[in-house]
């Protein structure tokens, strides 16, 4: 939880940090996997922070990485997680 909070704070208002975070190809699949899992109530905080972090990555993304543009991330979320979740 602490690491997710740190990442959310670090990436907010910093497109360069978001680009570096998205440059690691394992980060987005990890976040989407955490969000889409059906876990107990004690894990809802982790899921919420992962969703917040993914939202920050979309909002502050400057589209410099071809594979992780805002539109591609939104499509990935719709495909793996769904709009309702």
């Amino acid at each position: 939880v602490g690491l997710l909070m740190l990442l959310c704070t670090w990436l907010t208002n910093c497109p360069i940090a978001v680009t570096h975070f998205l440059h690691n190809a394992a980060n987005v699949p990890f976040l989407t996997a955490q969000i889409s899992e059906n876990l107990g109530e004690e894990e809802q905080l982790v899921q919420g922070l992962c969703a917040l972090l993914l939202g920050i990555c979309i909002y502050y993304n400057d589209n410099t990485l071809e594979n992780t543009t805002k539109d591609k991330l939104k499509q990935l979320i719709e495909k793996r997680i769904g709009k309702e979740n």
Side-chain angles (χ1 to χ4, degrees):
V1 172
L3 180 59
L4 289 170
M5 291 171 61
L6 173 68
L7 286 170
C8 287
T9 304
W10 175 53
L11 298 179
T12 300
N13 286 323
C14 190
I16 294 171
V18 169
T19 301
H20 286 291
F21 181 78
L22 293 175
H23 190 33
N24 184 341
N27 288 338
V28 173
F30 174 78
L31 293 175
T32 56
Q34 292 297 312
I35 296 167
S36 63
E37 285 185 30
N38 290 328
L39 301 172
E41 287 184 26
E42 60 276 350
E43 297 296 324
Q44 287 181 351
L45 178 61
V46 173
Q47 287 179 317
L49 285 170
C50 288
L52 175 64
L53 184 57
L54 196 54
I56 289 169
C57 288
I58 291 171
Y59 189 79
Y60 294 105
N61 189 348
D62 60 3
N63 293 329
T64 56
L65 295 175
E66 187 176 321
N67 293 335
T68 55
T69 61
K70 288 182 180 186
D71 290 332
K72 287 185 180 180
L73 288 175
K74 289 176 187 177
Q75 290 172 359
L76 181 72
I77 290 170
E78 288 178 17
K79 186 186 292 185
R80 290 194 185 167
I81 301 169
K83 286 185 176 183
E84 297 298 320
N85 290 337

